[in-house]
């Protein structure tokens, strides 16, 4: 199964992806994790990305799309994947569709995790303290929320127009949210 998880920064995409990986035994592809790894290793891309991320801005499409295409070319994604943090704009969604078309593996499900923005700010503040993330200040979070609304939110409409989108309430315990997502996946995997 090829799944795209959508939602604002801090909506729980990464948490839910980790639970789905455990349940479905599919690789989790997170642009955030790919970028943080490059930053940690001090690669040239990582250093460029760090200065952009620390301002709460998005890393350019060509860099992120190239990383995703490289990752999707690996053998462990042959049976599917859980994509988190990509596509983040309509151009990337179209690029992903073209990539997956070439591979003969189109997106099967797009899940939007809906949550109140103030809840997100509280979650991210907690995560910043727990993980010591320099990109999670309140100022950068508010900027990322603005950027999300302007650039990423239209991706929801992109998948909705293609009949691939389901919205899931992102409030509550992570286990409750996970059950909602599993319900969607089970419902959509049933033969018509």
């Amino acid at each position: 199964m090829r799944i795209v998880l959508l939602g604002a920064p801090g909506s729980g995409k990464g948490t839910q992806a980790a639970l789905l990986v455990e349940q479905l035994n599919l690789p989790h592809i997170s642009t955030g994790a790919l970028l943080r790894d490059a930053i940690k290793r001090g690669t040239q891309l990582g250093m460029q990305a760090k200065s952009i991320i620390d301002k709460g801005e998005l890393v350019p499409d060509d860099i992120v799309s190239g990383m995703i295409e490289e990752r999707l070319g690996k053998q462990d994604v042959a049976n599917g994947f859980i994509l988190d943090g990509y596509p983040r704009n309509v151009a990337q969604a179209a690029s992903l569709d073209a990539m997956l078309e070439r591979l003969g593996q189109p997106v099967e499900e797009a899940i939007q995790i809906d949550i109140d923005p103030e809840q997100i700010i509280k979650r991210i503040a907690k995560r910043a303290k727990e993980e010591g993330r320099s990109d999670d200040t309140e100022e950068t979070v508010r900027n990322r929320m603005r950027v999300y609304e302007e650039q990423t939110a239209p991706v929801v409409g992109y998948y909705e127009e293609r009949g691939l989108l389901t919205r899931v309430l992102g409030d509550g315990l992570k286990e409750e949210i996970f059950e909602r997502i599993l319900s969607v996946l089970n419902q959509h995997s049933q033969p018509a």
Side-chain angles (χ1 to χ4, degrees):
M1 180 167 275
R2 292 168 299 281
I3 303 165
V4 173
L5 286 179
L6 302 168
S11 63
K13 294 182 305 293
T15 298
Q16 294 305 316
L19 294 170
L20 286 168
V21 163
E22 210 172 284
Q23 179 78 25
L24 303 175
N25 198 28
L26 294 173
H28 173 207
I29 302 171
S30 162
T31 55
L34 291 173
L35 287 167
R36 281 189 293 277
D37 180 60
I39 291 167
K40 183 179 177 181
R41 291 184 293 120
T43 66
Q44 183 177 357
L45 169 63
M47 293 300 89
Q48 290 172 336
K50 182 174 179 7
S51 67
I52 294 167
I53 291 169
D54 283 349
K55 293 182 220 168
E57 296 173 4
L58 296 174
V59 178
D61 286 357
D62 59 333
I63 294 172
V64 177
S65 293
M67 288 175 28
I68 291 293
E69 186 158 14
E70 181 180 298
R71 181 65 183 91
L72 290 175
K74 296 192 177 190
Q75 185 59 38
D76 68 332
V77 300
N79 293 322
F81 53 82
I82 300 158
L83 200 52
D84 157 22
Y86 185 92
R88 64 180 183 214
N89 59 46
V90 173
Q92 285 183 356
S95 175
L96 177 64
D97 278 354
M99 244 184 267
L100 293 173
E101 182 74 26
R102 286 192 303 273
L103 297 171
Q105 297 185 3
V107 169
E108 294 173 282
E109 185 71 44
I111 298 174
Q112 165 69 16
I113 300 174
D114 287 327
I115 186 167
D116 177 66
E118 289 307 311
Q119 226 8 53
I120 288 173
I121 291 168
K122 288 177 187 173
R123 277 188 187 179
I124 291 178
K126 181 181 175 191
R127 180 176 77 183
K129 286 179 185 172
E130 291 172 355
E131 298 178 15
R133 289 175 53 169
S134 65
D135 62 326
D136 280 345
T137 66
E138 185 171 339
E139 181 182 339
T140 59
V141 169
R142 290 194 184 280
N143 189 48
R144 285 182 10 225
M145 295 293 289
R146 182 189 53 75
V147 170
Y148 172 81
E149 285 301 320
E150 291 171 2
Q151 297 181 25
T152 307
V155 174
V156 173
Y158 178 89
Y159 285 112
E160 198 164 37
E161 288 172 10
R162 285 155 183 74
L164 298 172
L165 184 82
T166 303
R167 292 176 178 273
V168 171
L169 180 63
D171 285 331
L173 298 172
K174 67 182 178 184
E175 295 81 7
E176 294 170 333
I177 300 162
F178 181 61
E179 286 302 320
R180 291 177 201 135
I181 292 172
L182 281 182
S183 176
V184 165
L185 295 175
N186 288 334
Q187 181 182 24
H188 291 180
S189 67
Q190 301 299 316

